[in-house]
Amino acid sequence: MNMWSGVIGEYLDFMPVEDRTEIVTLQEGGTPLIPAPSLAQKLGIEAELYLKYEGANPTGSFKDRGMTLAVTKALGEGSEAIICASTGNTSAAAAAYGARAGLKTVVVVPEGNIALGKMAQALNHGAEVIPVQDNFDAALRIVRKICESYPVTLVNSLNPYRIEGQKSAALEVCDQLGEAPEILAIPVGNAGNITAYWQGFCEYRKARKINSCPEMWGFEASGAAAITRDKVIENPETVASAIRIGDPVSWDKAASAAEESGGIIEEVKDEELLFAYSSLADCAGVFAEPASAASLAGVKKMSDRKSLSADDLVVAVLTGHGLKDPDSALDVISEPEAVPARIEDVLDRAGLA
Amino acid sequence: MNMWSGVIGEYLDFMPVEDRTEIVTLQEGGTPLIPAPSLAQKLGIEAELYLKYEGANPTGSFKDRGMTLAVTKALGEGSEAIICASTGNTSAAAAAYGARAGLKTVVVVPEGNIALGKMAQALNHGAEVIPVQDNFDAALRIVRKICESYPVTLVNSLNPYRIEGQKSAALEVCDQLGEAPEILAIPVGNAGNITAYWQGFCEYRKARKINSCPEMWGFEASGAAAITRDKVIENPETVASAIRIGDPVSWDKAASAAEESGGIIEEVKDEELLFAYSSLADCAGVFAEPASAASLAGVKKMSDRKSLSADDLVVAVLTGHGLKDPDSALDVISEPEAVPARIEDVLDRAGLA
């Protein structure tokens, strides 16, 4: 029995850590790679479809993979605190790993722009959440300035160890399949994750663990499709809050990953994304946050355009758990009406009569 | 690289399935067993403390372990639908595995008693959620009656395969530690899970995989402490909704598990439970639902009474993810006030100045 020790321990040869480093881990990674033939059939995708379900990470998103390494490094370098500007999954992961390491965690957010529900994880993990009277850019500027002069480590996506940790997901996909897939489809927001996967595949090929790399298919939401449309989106709009980003940090690297791999960066409309979101839940049994569904919506869209063959392995990355975004979950359902407490009424409503 | 295939596949020798059974799985199980020395120190627990973090299961709770087997069996037996009466984690797991198997899932609940947030998973997974104009007992009576006359499988805790699947967690704990722990602490609601763990340990000892079984320490919430107080609680009250049960289904088996193992069934107050809940998040980096914290609160309480030694291995089971119960998460935090967007103000608030 080979129990999972977390992404640094499992992929030590590929991680920039010394032998004697104290590793800060919640045993993240080792997430399910779920075959989804019924879903592929429903969506008309003629290929062997798999879902990489990152919602099963400890804080409910792929961010844990990068945070284990970023916080391990911060601790090793003698930092007194970690800091980030984030209203979402990054703050949850930072706060959890910061708490685990015994480091103070500071999260700076724009005032008025925080849903308490979204920040519940960071606050419960004891992070100092500080709303500032300005916008997100100002929050990010402040945290960068602080890291220049104080023994505080920036754990926003500018931290290079985040990408190094996140690449572990690509290695896992190859180990789970026994080879690289033909296509890796992934949501694109800040574009760090597509960058990380591509780096992972390239390193695994160089190490002769796989013979070829997949095409990287990255999908932005139409209302935030900066890379696809080759322009900064001033006011990005999409239901997929986790990829609502108009000027991606890793823009160039994402574009390179798509180009070098023979892949694409494309956009999907909110309605395509929400249809994929519902289909994941009611057909494959997988509850993911709306942004996650961009990968699946994208595969459906592209499979009409690019020829796939039935034995192509296509992996769609689902970045976060559906429980991360209960508001979106409630938006797509309606409250069921009550029936009398009689067997025949229940059978009738259930369609079993 | 030994990737996880789900609890039936990993523990096939201990599962009541045939070789050629089609397994319905979301690759549940294989959840983190997280060492928690800082937390033990904070709570004054003098032992080697580990947390079995079941929130990392696909639907966010331990219920997935039993549901993979219950639904696999339902599918193999030719059922057309699965049904349960549940307002919580059971309905989420049933709906997810039902969707995965392509079986209709019916969830019967008492009218007026459903928080839409709690039912969001079941509804998103496409379950037919039917509120009836009566109480929970009536809902349960109806689903039992339906299963007597229709090709519909009951997946409430009365389904014996639920326990068989859930016992996998005990096997995992032993495999992760390389031996059985001295103490296994666990929340007790309907008492199915403590029953399942005890069965798992006993089977593993019989198979000579371990040399001894742990003491089983089960903890009820004080407002729902039927077994501890040896009486049915008519109106159970506790913040820990997942164990708010006044007449446990597996009462006798839980009592036997405690007795046979030399353990105990005890109760913990809501304030003890909430303190443990917060400590898990801000000290160990683990976000669990309030009911989960009953195990940890119990270990803290008992460690004052029963002598532990520093090298005793104590495993506290955390049954579900904190994201399952966002209301409780929000109850224990308050909205942070904004500061001017200046470095000195942020540093000052963060205590870094």
Side-chain angles (χ1 to χ4, degrees):
Chain A
M1 186 63 45
N2 178 14
M3 301 306 288
W4 192 260
S5 66
V7 301
I8 299 177
E10 295 292 330
Y11 292 108
L12 209 50
D13 292 349
F14 294 86
M15 293 290 164
V17 292
E18 309 292 325
D19 274 358
R20 303 183 56 179
T21 303
E22 183 188 343
I23 295 171
V24 181
T25 180
L26 290 164
Q27 297 169 27
E28 62 294 315
T31 55
L33 184 73
I34 303 174
S38 311
L39 182 63
Q41 192 171 21
K42 174 176 175 176
L43 301 184
I45 297 167
E46 285 178 21
E48 234 183 282
L49 178 66
Y50 288 83
L51 309 168
K52 182 64 174 167
Y53 186 41
E54 291 288 278
N57 276 298
T59 78
S61 90
F62 74 98
K63 302 280 183 179
D64 294 348
R65 295 179 182 275
M67 209 54 79
T68 179
L69 190 59
V71 175
T72 291
K73 286 290 185 178
L75 190 68
E77 289 161 2
S79 274
E80 287 171 15
I82 57 174
I83 195 167
C84 66
S86 160
T87 56
N89 292 337
T90 297
S91 70
Y97 285 81
R100 179 127 195 96
L103 292 174
K104 181 189 281 279
T105 304
V106 182
V107 180
V108 182
V109 293
E111 180 192 31
N113 200 358
I114 60 166
L116 212 52
K118 276 262 162 189
M119 297 305 292
Q121 282 178 280
L123 288 162
N124 270 277
H125 284 300
E128 192 74 55
V129 176
I130 308 177
V132 293
Q133 293 157 350
D134 206 327
N135 60 19
F136 186 83
D137 288 340
L140 187 57
R141 206 158 47 233
I142 287 172
V143 303
R144 294 181 72 165
K145 274 283 178 197
I146 287 174
C147 294
E148 286 171 14
S149 317
Y150 290 82
V152 175
T153 299
L154 185 70
V155 295
N156 264 97
S157 51
L158 297 160
N159 181 316
Y161 296 122
R162 294 269 308 278
I163 301 270
E164 294 283 335
Q166 282 172 215
K167 78 184 177 196
S168 61
L171 315 190
E172 275 179 39
V173 164
C174 297
D175 289 333
Q176 286 171 306
L177 291 172
E179 62 190 309
E182 270 74 33
I183 289 145
L184 191 290
I186 188 166
V188 172
N190 239 329
N193 212 23
I194 187 173
T195 304
Y197 270 82
W198 182 237
Q199 182 178 331
F201 288 123
C202 291
E203 289 185 19
Y204 235 28
R205 187 173 54 177
K206 199 170 165 200
R208 298 175 189 276
K209 296 275 191 176
I210 51 175
N211 297 316
S212 62
C213 289
E215 290 179 25
M216 302 297 293
W217 291 10
F219 298 101
E220 298 179 298
S222 288
I227 305 175
T228 309
R229 300 183 183 190
D230 199 20
K231 66 173 185 190
V232 171
I233 310 294
E234 292 295 343
N235 295 299
E237 282 297 337
T238 166
V239 292
S241 58
I243 55 171
R244 193 187 294 146
I245 290 163
D247 188 7
V249 167
S250 301
W251 185 318
D252 292 345
K253 288 180 182 161
S256 298
E259 197 185 318
E260 289 169 25
S261 71
I264 42 135
I265 306 284
E266 257 290 349
E267 61 179 71
V268 289
K269 297 193 191 85
D270 274 8
E271 60 261 36
E272 294 171 312
L273 198 147
L274 287 173
F275 178 70
Y277 167 73
S278 296
S279 301
L280 278 166
D282 67 28
C283 183
V286 175
F287 189 36
E289 66 176 337
S292 296
S295 58
L296 181 65
V299 173
K300 173 173 162 46
K301 178 178 175 175
M302 293 309 297
S303 67
D304 298 336
R305 288 204 220 154
K306 285 211 162 194
S307 61
L308 288 171
S309 80
D311 58 357
D312 277 350
L313 296 174
V314 177
V315 173
V317 177
L318 306 176
T319 43
H321 204 289
L323 289 169
K324 283 278 195 170
D325 192 352
D327 293 340
S328 290
L330 294 175
D331 278 352
V332 301
I333 58 183
S334 53
E335 180 146 8
E337 269 180 54
V339 301
R342 293 188 312 209
I343 291 172
E344 50 270 42
D345 289 290
V346 170
L347 285 171
D348 189 53
R349 168 68 72 78
L352 294 170
Chain B
M1 186 64 44
N2 178 12
M3 300 309 289
W4 192 259
S5 66
V7 302
I8 299 177
E10 295 291 331
Y11 293 107
L12 208 52
D13 292 348
F14 294 86
M15 293 289 165
V17 293
E18 309 292 325
D19 275 358
R20 302 182 57 178
T21 304
E22 183 188 345
I23 295 171
V24 181
T25 179
L26 291 164
Q27 297 169 25
E28 61 295 314
T31 55
L33 184 72
I34 303 174
S38 312
L39 182 63
Q41 192 171 22
K42 175 178 176 175
L43 301 184
I45 297 167
E46 285 178 21
E48 236 184 282
L49 177 66
Y50 288 82
L51 309 168
K52 182 65 173 165
Y53 186 42
E54 291 288 278
N57 276 299
T59 79
S61 90
F62 74 98
K63 302 280 183 180
D64 294 348
R65 295 180 182 274
M67 208 54 78
T68 180
L69 191 59
V71 175
T72 291
K73 285 290 185 180
L75 190 68
E77 289 161 4
S79 274
E80 287 171 16
I82 57 173
I83 193 167
C84 66
S86 159
T87 57
N89 292 336
T90 297
S91 70
Y97 285 81
R100 180 129 195 94
L103 292 174
K104 182 189 280 278
T105 304
V106 182
V107 179
V108 182
V109 293
E111 180 192 31
N113 199 357
I114 61 164
L116 212 52
K118 275 262 162 189
M119 297 305 291
Q121 282 178 278
L123 288 162
N124 271 276
H125 284 300
E128 192 74 56
V129 176
I130 308 178
V132 292
Q133 293 157 350
D134 207 327
N135 60 19
F136 186 83
D137 287 342
L140 187 57
R141 204 157 47 234
I142 288 172
V143 303
R144 294 181 73 164
K145 275 282 178 199
I146 287 174
C147 294
E148 285 170 14
S149 317
Y150 291 82
V152 175
T153 298
L154 185 70
V155 295
N156 265 97
S157 51
L158 296 160
N159 181 316
Y161 297 121
R162 292 270 308 278
I163 301 269
E164 294 282 336
Q166 283 172 214
K167 79 184 177 196
S168 61
L171 315 189
E172 274 179 40
V173 164
C174 297
D175 288 334
Q176 286 171 306
L177 291 173
E179 60 190 310
E182 270 74 32
I183 290 145
L184 191 290
I186 188 165
V188 173
N190 239 330
N193 211 22
I194 188 173
T195 303
Y197 271 82
W198 181 237
Q199 183 178 331
F201 288 124
C202 291
E203 288 185 19
Y204 235 28
R205 187 174 55 177
K206 199 170 166 202
R208 298 175 190 273
K209 296 274 191 178
I210 52 174
N211 297 317
S212 61
C213 289
E215 290 179 25
M216 302 297 293
W217 290 11
F219 298 101
E220 299 180 298
S222 287
I227 304 176
T228 308
R229 300 183 183 189
D230 199 20
K231 65 172 184 191
V232 172
I233 312 291
E234 293 296 341
N235 295 299
E237 282 296 337
T238 165
V239 293
S241 58
I243 56 172
R244 194 187 295 146
I245 290 162
D247 189 8
V249 168
S250 302
W251 184 320
D252 292 344
K253 288 180 183 162
S256 299
E259 196 185 319
E260 289 169 25
S261 71
I264 41 135
I265 306 284
E266 258 290 348
E267 61 179 70
V268 289
K269 297 194 191 83
D270 274 8
E271 59 261 36
E272 295 172 312
L273 198 148
L274 288 174
F275 178 70
Y277 168 73
S278 296
S279 301
L280 279 166
D282 67 28
C283 184
V286 176
F287 190 37
E289 67 177 336
S292 296
S295 58
L296 181 65
V299 172
K300 173 173 163 44
K301 177 179 175 175
M302 293 310 295
S303 67
D304 299 336
R305 289 204 222 153
K306 284 211 164 195
S307 62
L308 288 171
S309 78
D311 58 356
D312 276 350
L313 296 174
V314 178
V315 173
V317 178
L318 307 177
T319 41
H321 204 290
L323 289 169
K324 282 279 195 169
D325 191 352
D327 293 340
S328 290
L330 294 175
D331 278 352
V332 300
I333 59 183
S334 53
E335 180 146 7
E337 269 180 54
V339 302
R342 291 187 314 207
I343 290 173
E344 51 270 41
D345 289 291
V346 170
L347 284 171
D348 189 53
R349 168 68 71 79
L352 294 171

